[in-house]
């Protein structure tokens, strides 16, 4: 996809979300299902560096293939827009796939173990809901990232080969053009 057509989406908290954003870049993240431990681990890295991402002129927009009601309790504390796409309409439009390699790829295993270890205490203490045993849209989703300009041009994209193959905050920030006035 070279250009994203203008549209309005609804965040799981009910706010309208414009894509593309006419005033800034959008980092569009395709995640898996509500409560996915690996997705939560990854999103926490963006929460921890949100100010840095915003200062670079980037708005985070995260999609999950889960319905709004099931997704809301899992993402209510995130400081950026989250959109439910249970029918995977945008997943298909952007070519985001599902495959057994999402969990079976050996490079995914350390992240899966780490995500469970980090997330389990909050679930056990009832601070976070338990991930669903049979998630809507399945467990085999692959992540994807897109950096979208205000005019809708896709400046960069990445389709993951396993569950933890996505842009880090540093990789996202390194995609930005070097400003002329920087030393």
């Amino acid at each position: 996809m070279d250009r994203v057509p203008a549209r309005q989406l609804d965040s799981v908290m009910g706010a309208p979300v414009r894509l593309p954003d006419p005033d800034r870049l959008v980092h569009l993240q395709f995640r898996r299902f509500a409560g996915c431990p690996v997705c939560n681990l990854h999103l926490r890295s963006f929460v921890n560096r949100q100010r840095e991402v915003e200062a670079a002129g980037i708005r985070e927009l995260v999609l999950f293939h889960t319905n709004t009601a099931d997704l809301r309790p899992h993402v209510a504390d995130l400081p950026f827009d989250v959109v439910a796409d249970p029918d995977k309409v945008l997943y298909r439009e952007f070519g985001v796939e599902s495959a057994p390699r999402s969990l079976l790829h050996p490079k995914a295993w350390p992240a899966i173990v780490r995500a469970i270890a980090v997330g389990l205490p909050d679930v056990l203490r009832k601070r976070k809901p338990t991930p669903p045993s049979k998630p809507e849209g399945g467990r085999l989703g692959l992540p994807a990232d897109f950096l979208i300009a205000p005019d809708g041009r896709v400046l960069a994209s990445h389709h993951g080969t396993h569950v933890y193959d996505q842009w880090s905050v540093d990789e996202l920030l390194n995609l930005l053009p070097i400003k002329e006035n920087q030393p």
Side-chain angles (χ1 to χ4, degrees):
M1 171 175 288
D2 294 333
R3 188 172 292 273
V4 175
R7 68 191 79 206
Q8 183 169 302
L9 306 169
D10 294 314
S11 80
V12 296
M13 299 307 177
V17 179
R18 292 174 69 185
L19 181 67
D21 185 315
D23 300 318
R24 55 192 164 161
L25 298 168
V26 172
H27 174 213
L28 178 61
Q29 294 190 45
F30 286 84
R31 308 298 339 146
R32 294 165 10 107
F33 55 89
C36 165
V38 177
C39 300
N40 292 340
L41 180 67
H42 175 68
L43 290 175
R44 288 290 147 215
S45 69
F46 277 84
V47 169
N48 292 339
R49 294 181 65 190
Q50 178 193 7
R51 285 190 182 109
E52 195 176 340
V53 171
E54 285 180 350
I58 302 170
R59 188 181 102 225
E60 289 295 323
L61 176 55
V62 182
L63 271 72
F64 282 88
H65 57 68
T66 301
N67 70 68
T68 298
D70 290 343
L71 183 54
R72 190 177 291 125
H74 292 277
V75 299
D77 65 336
L78 292 178
F80 31 79
D81 292 313
V82 177
V83 172
D85 186 12
D87 298 322
K88 296 185 176 183
V89 172
L90 292 171
Y91 285 74
R92 283 190 298 279
E93 183 179 326
F94 282 80
V96 180
E97 302 174 347
S98 294
R101 73 179 184 271
S102 71
L103 297 175
L104 298 176
H105 196 293
K107 287 185 177 180
W109 301 342
I112 292 169
V113 171
R114 192 166 132 239
I116 292 169
V118 168
L120 189 58
D122 283 340
V123 171
L124 293 175
R125 291 183 184 111
K126 308 250 187 248
R127 286 187 268 191
K128 287 284 189 179
T130 303
S133 59
K134 293 184 179 180
E136 186 173 6
R139 292 190 177 281
L140 303 179
L142 291 163
D145 296 274
F146 295 83
L147 184 60
I148 302 168
D151 65 2
R153 285 177 298 123
V154 175
L155 302 176
S157 65
H158 176 76
H159 287 78
T161 58
H162 59 79
V163 69
Y164 206 65
D165 181 17
Q166 68 267 311
W167 289 337
S168 68
V169 174
D170 287 333
E171 288 169 320
L172 173 66
L173 295 175
N174 285 335
L175 292 170
L176 300 178
I178 298 172
K179 295 188 174 40
E180 293 176 357
N181 59 358
Q182 287 182 337

